[in-house]
Amino acid sequence: MTVVILTIGGLALRYIETRMVATAGETLALTAAEVSDKLDRFLSERYGDVLMMAETFSVQPHNRKFQSAYVARMKTAYPDYLWIGATNERGQIVVATDPATVGRDYSAQPWFQIVRNGRAVHMGDVEPFAVMGGPDTIAVTAPITGPNGEFLGVVTMRVGISGLEHVMTGTLLAFRQREGFWGALEYQFLTEKGVAFIDSDLSHKGLVNLIQLGLPSALVSQRSLSSYVEEEHLRRHVPVITGYAKTQARGGFEGLQWTVL
């Protein structure tokens, strides 16, 4: 009888543990998906902004006074933009929110060449922007065209990463308040290649590739849009539950295939 009772008790505890893990995992996966959706909207809005600016500049392609005032207003209205500029057809900056960059030649840059060669909008992955001292940014670029479709230059913006991190921290705060959970929470944003460009552990931000390190959540996110996994924490070597979700295309915006952990 004692053996039977112990067996039933063990099964009950295992069932409770399994359900608790599943509940926590599903909640974390939903939170990751919520963050991913907000990221998609944030980036889609930046996509729309650069298209609108390019269309406006195409109407007045040589009015530098108007263009200078326009980029200044945009930067004031949207602090997420660290720098905004426009080039001529040769890739030289003709107006910019930082006057010191006017005249610089960016014709060799991929964002200029890709748009010049026919792409409607180019959104680059995260990389340092040396002009502003090296902060991580996203380049968003669209062509300026003439009345017959001729290429006249580009409009290009640098979106700061801090705006993306605010999306995460704001969502986590809402999650804590909604779920009543105040335990330890960590998060990462991964590029398509697996590099953690936003990390709640600032000492490892941008220094690790979680796909190359074989982290299960990073690997499985390459095959599934959103779910959760039980895994071992790479640095603390303790069991954790990780919810994940991938960013997706939205409207005409193709997306960057990032992963939220």
Side-chain angles (χ1 to χ4, degrees):
M1 179 64 71
T2 302
V3 174
V4 172
I5 292 173
L6 289 175
T7 301
I8 293 174
L11 291 173
L13 287 173
R14 178 58 183 166
Y15 173 78
I16 293 171
E17 178 186 356
T18 301
R19 286 307 308 155
M20 289 179 66
V21 168
T23 299
E26 289 163 4
T27 301
L28 290 170
L30 286 172
T31 302
E34 182 180 348
V35 172
S36 174
D37 181 66
K38 289 179 179 179
L39 281 179
D40 287 332
R41 277 185 280 165
F42 179 90
L43 295 174
S44 180
E45 288 169 1
R46 306 292 77 78
Y47 176 95
D49 286 349
V50 78
L51 268 181
M52 177 183 67
M53 186 179 294
E55 290 171 0
T56 302
F57 280 27
S58 294
V59 175
Q60 301 196 52
H62 304 296
N63 188 338
R64 304 304 183 213
K65 183 177 180 180
F66 166 80
Q67 293 173 354
S68 294
Y70 193 104
V71 298
R73 286 197 304 271
M74 281 291 290
K75 189 174 185 301
T76 300
Y78 299 98
D80 290 322
Y81 293 126
L82 300 185
W83 179 88
I84 307 172
T87 77
N88 58 22
E89 69 278 9
R90 297 184 300 278
Q92 297 167 327
I93 298 293
V94 291
V95 297
T97 50
D98 180 359
T101 59
V102 173
R104 293 193 181 188
D105 186 344
Y106 287 103
S107 59
Q109 293 298 311
W111 49 265
F112 177 81
Q113 294 183 357
I114 289 170
V115 171
R116 182 189 59 190
N117 292 337
R119 188 161 183 172
V121 176
H122 171 66
M123 185 173 288
D125 217 328
V126 178
E127 60 181 19
F129 186 46
V131 169
M132 301 300 295
D136 285 342
T137 62
I138 303 163
V140 191
T141 309
I144 302 169
T145 56
N148 298 313
E150 64 272 25
F151 177 75
L152 299 178
V154 305
V155 168
T156 187
M157 306 168 167
R158 296 301 176 274
V159 182
I161 295 302
S162 60
L164 302 176
E165 191 154 15
H166 290 159
V167 171
M168 171 62 91
T169 54
T171 304
L172 287 184
L173 178 60
F175 165 77
R176 290 180 183 276
Q177 294 172 339
R178 183 175 65 243
E179 302 295 332
F181 178 81
W182 296 97
L185 282 174
E186 298 184 13
Y187 58 85
Q188 289 89 25
F189 288 0
L190 311 184
T191 66
E192 185 177 9
K193 295 180 180 179
V195 176
F197 66 93
I198 289 179
D199 196 323
S200 54
D201 183 347
L202 296 179
S203 63
H204 292 85
K205 176 181 176 181
L207 301 177
V208 294
N209 185 311
L210 297 181
I211 291 178
Q212 291 180 358
L213 290 176
L215 184 69
S217 55
L219 293 173
V220 75
S221 71
Q222 305 302 297
R223 305 186 299 272
S224 171
L225 287 178
S226 180
S227 189
Y228 70 93
V229 296
E230 296 179 70
E231 59 188 359
E232 181 180 286
H233 194 287
L234 286 178
R235 294 189 286 268
R236 294 190 285 118
H237 302 292
V238 295
V240 294
I241 305 170
T242 304
Y244 65 85
K246 289 193 74 68
T247 59
Q248 302 180 58
R250 178 184 289 268
F253 172 54
E254 295 179 358
L256 293 173
Q257 299 300 308
W258 289 346
T259 299
V260 176
L261 300 180

